[in-house]
């Protein structure tokens, strides 16, 4: 009985290992080629597994791609702190970190994948859910900066975020270079801060550049 239980655990472990390898492979492929060009036949060939094995692990292509997307999104979310900033400087720093992380996430997906997902009913809810997560946190950071008196009175944090998110997403879909877009976002966001506070932003961005973050 114990031998049978050990064998089942070993088989389950091997199956989970293959499952993760498939997800890793699909993550790489969809970020290069998008969704529509990827087929279960192609995945099976690329992974050198039988179609039967693949369908046993993932009955549907949609569920496999969603899982792969979820992994990418989860890693991006984990890259930013969640605790409330204890000072104006920390709130400002978190704002720029969130913006950089969101831009980086969209560029990880790539223009082809974003274009494929946007009009697709199977994946559009995922895009909107991710956008909502980053939007809420960036608006929260903007509101904190506003509460500390660092932002101009107008426009409101929501209007700033609305304009940024529309521009960021569309530029990523059009294939704008990551470094160029990151710089543009930073310059635009910097312009909403009060003049006497901009020096702090420039100091932060200069330190980030020296560390190789930018």
């Amino acid at each position: 009985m114990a031998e049978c239980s050990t064998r089942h655990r070993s088989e389950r472990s091997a199956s989970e290992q293959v499952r993760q390898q498939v997800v890793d492979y699909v993550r790489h492929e969809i970020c290069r080629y998008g969704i529509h060009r990827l087929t279960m036949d192609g995945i099976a060939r690329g992974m050198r597994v039988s179609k039967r094995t693949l369908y046993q692990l993932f009955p549907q292509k949609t569920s496999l791609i969603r899982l792969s997307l979820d992994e990418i999104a989860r890693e991006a979310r984990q890259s930013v702190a969640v605790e409330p900033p204890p000072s104006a400087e920390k709130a400002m720093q978190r704002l720029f970190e969130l913006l950089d992380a969101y831009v980086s996430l969209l560029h990880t997906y790539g223009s082809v994948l974003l274009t494929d997902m946007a009009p697709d009913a199977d994946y559009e809810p995922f895009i909107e859910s991710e956008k909502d997560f980053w939007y809420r946190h960036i608006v929260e950071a903007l509101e904190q900066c506003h509460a500390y008196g660092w932002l101009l009175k107008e426009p409101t944090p929501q209007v700033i975020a609305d304009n940024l998110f529309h521009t960021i997403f569309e530029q990523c879909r059009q294939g704008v270079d990551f470094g160029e877009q990151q710089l543009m976002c930073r310059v635009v966001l910097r312009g909403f801060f009060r003049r006497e506070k901009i020096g702090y932003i420039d100091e932060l961005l200069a330190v980030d550049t020296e560390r190789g973050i930018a």
Side-chain angles (χ1 to χ4, degrees):
M1 189 73 175
E3 181 180 345
C4 181
S5 178
T6 301
R7 185 176 69 254
H8 284 313
R9 283 198 300 269
S10 177
E11 290 174 351
R12 184 166 60 249
S13 176
S15 178
E16 290 172 355
Q17 184 178 10
V18 173
R19 181 182 176 88
Q20 186 58 53
Q21 289 172 346
V22 171
V23 171
D24 291 341
Y25 175 82
V26 170
R27 283 180 53 170
H28 179 266
E29 292 298 294
I30 60 176
C31 290
R32 291 183 64 192
Y33 304 115
I35 293 170
H36 300 319
R37 290 176 58 184
L38 191 66
T39 65
M40 294 296 271
D41 285 350
I43 296 170
R45 286 195 302 271
M47 287 297 301
R48 295 182 180 179
V49 299
S50 68
K51 287 177 59 178
R52 178 180 179 182
T53 297
L54 183 61
Y55 276 104
Q56 285 175 339
L57 294 171
F58 302 98
Q60 295 181 328
K61 170 187 164 182
T62 302
S63 61
L64 171 53
I65 291 177
R66 283 177 177 168
L67 182 58
S68 302
L69 292 171
D70 284 339
E71 281 207 354
I72 298 172
R74 185 171 63 252
E75 289 175 3
R77 293 183 182 199
Q78 291 172 347
S79 70
V80 294
V82 294
E83 64 273 7
S87 67
E89 289 82 0
K90 290 293 184 182
M92 180 270 293
Q93 185 175 7
R94 174 167 169 75
L95 172 60
F96 280 86
E97 287 175 350
L98 283 164
L99 185 65
D100 283 350
Y102 181 61
V103 173
S104 179
L105 171 63
L106 293 185
H107 277 272
T108 297
Y109 289 144
S111 60
V112 177
L113 178 56
L114 290 175
T115 299
D116 280 357
M117 287 195 294
D120 195 314
D122 286 327
Y123 306 105
E124 187 177 11
F126 172 83
I127 292 181
E128 292 305 314
S129 175
E130 278 307 298
K131 188 183 296 184
D132 180 65
F133 171 86
W134 293 96
Y135 179 87
R136 284 186 290 107
H137 283 282
I138 287 176
V139 167
E140 181 182 76
L142 283 165
E143 289 174 340
Q144 288 165 346
C145 290
H146 188 271
Y148 282 117
W150 280 47
L151 289 179
L152 299 173
K153 290 184 178 180
E154 295 292 340
T156 66
Q158 288 78 12
V159 170
I160 295 172
D162 286 343
N163 290 328
L164 275 173
F165 269 67
H166 175 75
T167 302
I168 289 170
F169 191 82
E170 288 307 313
Q171 286 191 340
C172 285
R173 286 182 60 185
Q174 293 166 15
V176 173
D177 176 75
F178 170 74
E180 179 182 339
Q181 188 172 31
Q182 183 189 48
L183 179 60
M184 182 278 298
C185 290
R186 288 181 168 192
V187 169
V188 170
L189 190 55
R190 177 180 177 273
F192 292 111
F193 280 79
R194 294 173 61 183
R195 183 179 301 174
E196 63 270 24
K197 304 299 182 182
I198 290 178
Y200 289 100
I201 299 173
D202 292 341
E203 289 178 10
L204 167 69
L205 299 186
V207 170
D208 284 353
T209 301
E210 290 174 3
R211 292 175 178 172
I213 295 176

